Amino acid sequence: AAAFKEQFKAFSKFGDTKSDGKHLTLSQSDKWMKQAKVIDKKITTTDTGIHFKKLKSMKLSFEDYNKFLDDLAKTKKVELNEIKSKLVNCGAPGIHHATPGKAAETVARLTDTSKYTGSHKQRFDESGKGKGIAGRKDLPDASGYVTGYGHKNTYDKTH
């Protein structure tokens, strides 16, 4: 029971900086139950919402939360001790088992400079590193020759 109360306190502070650890909201309860894998095919977030609202409070104290779990277990024909043991043994609140989404491969595909075409291709060298301003602007040739002159540096200085 002490471990369950500690978990209750930890999850009541999870995601709420102003919480004193004595009351739990429905969303915090759902996060806790999802992490503990209590919410599954048999018990859904809809069920938890219905049973939570029966107690006519936005936040539940530890005693009210026990009533909520008792009511939920009876209605769903699940052992109360089974739910409590899952809630106790699910670990500290936090983001667990985060999988890298599809966004990572999409970003990799969009930022692959070897697939760029047209004027965008000019902005990167062969290794894929950006050329900076030289890749974006045609810098003027300040060598002294007229633009388009083809025989630059061919004058023989021996005359």
Side-chain angles (χ1 to χ4, degrees):
F4 181 63
K5 190 158 181 123
E6 285 304 308
Q7 283 288 75
F8 177 86
K9 200 175 203 175
F11 275 90
S12 68
K13 289 180 179 177
F14 183 52
D16 184 5
T17 52
K18 294 184 221 62
S19 176
D20 56 359
K22 292 184 176 90
H23 294 87
L24 195 73
T25 63
L26 175 60
S27 67
Q28 289 167 328
S29 173
D30 283 352
K31 284 175 191 170
W32 188 8
M33 289 184 163
K34 280 178 188 169
Q35 187 170 315
K37 295 187 175 35
V38 172
I39 290 178
D40 52 16
K41 297 263 186 273
K42 196 164 186 167
I43 298 174
T44 65
T45 52
T46 308
D47 299 324
T48 60
I50 291 166
H51 290 283
F52 201 92
K53 298 296 180 198
K54 276 185 186 175
L55 296 165
K56 296 189 177 12
S57 176
M58 292 301 288
K59 291 181 170 187
L60 298 183
S61 66
F62 184 68
E63 290 74 28
D64 287 340
Y65 194 70
N66 279 320
K67 288 179 198 165
F68 158 73
L69 287 177
D70 192 38
D71 188 31
L72 183 68
K74 276 183 191 156
T75 311
K76 288 291 167 185
K77 296 177 178 61
V78 180
E79 278 295 318
L80 179 63
N81 291 339
E82 187 187 327
I83 292 175
K84 280 191 175 180
S85 72
K86 282 183 179 179
L87 291 174
V88 169
N89 298 320
C90 70
I95 293 90
H96 296 287
H97 314 298
T99 55
K102 204 170 180 182
E105 58 193 50
T106 306
V107 170
R109 182 175 50 81
L110 292 172
T111 55
D112 183 4
T113 58
S114 66
K115 291 187 172 86
Y116 288 1
T117 59
S119 62
H120 305 291
K121 197 177 202 169
Q122 309 303 317
R123 294 178 48 203
F124 300 91
D125 60 15
E126 293 77 38
S127 69
K129 190 171 180 334
K131 291 182 183 175
I133 195 87
R136 290 192 296 274
K137 288 194 175 146
D138 289 331
L139 300 173
D141 181 16
S143 65
Y145 286 95
V146 178
T147 307
Y149 180 68
H151 303 293
K152 183 176 169 184
N153 297 330
T154 58
Y155 180 73
D156 189 6
K157 293 183 175 142
T158 58
H159 293 276

